[in-house]
Amino acid sequence: MSRIGRSRLAVLISGRGSNLQALCEAIAAGTLDAEIVAVGCDRADAPGLEIARKFGIPQVLVPRASCASRAEFESRLFTQLEGYAPDWLVLAGFMRVLSAQAVARWPARMINLHPSLLPRYPGLDTHARALAAGDREHGASVHLVTAELDGGPVLAQVRLKIQPDDNPERLAERLRPLEHRLLLWVCSLLVEGRLLAESEQILIDGEPLRAPLLLN
Ligand code: GRF
């Protein structure tokens, strides 16, 4: 894919924003050839907004409580984000379930980072659920967003061996740096045009993606 200029990312967050920070740092270091054109957020108290401020990135803050309905929330958030003309929407800790109508505004142009080896454990409490199931390994996935919660095609994953003394907090802590690497890797592949996501098929280096890419 040839394009003029750097790829434009909009990053959506609800909380801490450590993945946003990792993206900002990679861009500043020149290891990710992209620009974050806006940070979307549904919570005025999200610590990640401070990261956006520090890096001088425009914020689109639409508190869910300020909207009468999910439709209004999505309409305000996405209409404002569209004003920044992003190529990709990157959901990094964005804790809202999106409607089919909202997802359809960005066909195959929205990715989400999820803290499990999908299709295992869509939804919340993934670390506790992996431990409760006695899993030997855990991990994170980046997938295309579809109307199904955490159910879109998985682009890439990172795996992590569960240790005997893991608890949900420790597991989340150990996984976090791997999540950062995974998200950066997928964003790099997307902005370099090596990973091409169309609604019908996904290509990696010109070949159909038959299984999620695995980060070493
Ligand atoms: C990450 O664990 C991600 O997998 C999940 O939300 C968390 C976001 O963390 N979707 P942060 O806000 O980027 O620090």
Side-chain angles (χ1 to χ4, degrees):
M1 180 170 60
S2 67
R3 53 168 295 117
I4 300 167
R6 304 161 93 197
S7 288
R8 300 167 66 82
L9 312 181
V11 182
L12 275 71
I13 63 167
S14 295
R16 179 180 42 220
S18 68
N19 284 281
L20 169 64
Q21 171 137 0
L23 288 167
C24 290
E25 288 174 352
I27 290 170
T31 53
L32 177 62
D33 188 19
E35 181 185 354
I36 301 178
V37 293
V39 168
C41 186
D42 61 323
R43 297 180 58 121
D45 60 352
L49 288 173
E50 177 56 23
I51 297 166
R53 198 197 56 72
K54 199 171 83 190
F55 283 88
I57 303 167
Q59 299 172 23
V60 174
L61 174 62
V62 181
R64 175 62 181 87
S66 71
C67 304
S69 63
R70 180 166 82 164
E72 183 193 330
F73 167 73
E74 291 177 339
S75 168
R76 281 174 52 191
L77 179 67
F78 284 85
T79 301
Q80 289 186 64
L81 286 174
E82 279 163 8
Y84 292 93
D87 299 307
W88 288 96
L89 259 58
V90 178
L91 277 53
F94 184 65
M95 302 302 286
R96 293 278 157 201
V97 178
L98 295 173
S99 70
Q101 290 89 333
V103 171
R105 289 171 84 143
W106 295 91
R109 286 292 174 274
M110 201 188 295
I111 59 170
N112 180 49
L113 171 66
H114 182 76
S116 80
L117 292 172
L118 290 171
R120 289 178 82 80
Y121 315 126
L124 299 174
D125 301 323
T126 57
H127 313 303
R129 288 157 71 198
L131 289 170
D135 291 355
R136 289 179 163 181
E137 62 173 10
H138 188 44
S141 307
V142 173
H143 65 93
L144 288 180
V145 176
T146 62
E148 190 190 342
L149 176 67
D150 301 322
V154 178
L155 302 175
Q157 294 183 317
V158 63
R159 293 169 181 267
L160 173 70
K161 281 206 171 14
I162 290 182
Q163 294 177 348
D165 57 348
D166 270 329
N167 56 38
E169 294 73 31
R170 187 176 132 85
L171 194 50
E173 203 63 35
R174 293 201 304 116
L175 185 61
R176 188 163 305 123
L178 298 177
E179 287 189 290
H180 297 167
R181 282 181 48 212
L182 179 69
L183 186 62
L184 287 172
W185 185 45
V186 173
C187 286
S188 294
L189 292 173
L190 290 173
V191 305
E192 289 165 10
R194 293 182 54 196
L195 184 58
L196 287 176
E198 307 295 342
S199 36
E200 295 302 311
Q201 66 169 353
I202 300 166
L203 298 177
I204 176 71
D205 292 332
E207 299 290 326
L209 181 72
R210 300 188 198 286
L213 302 169
L214 200 55
L215 180 67
N216 291 309

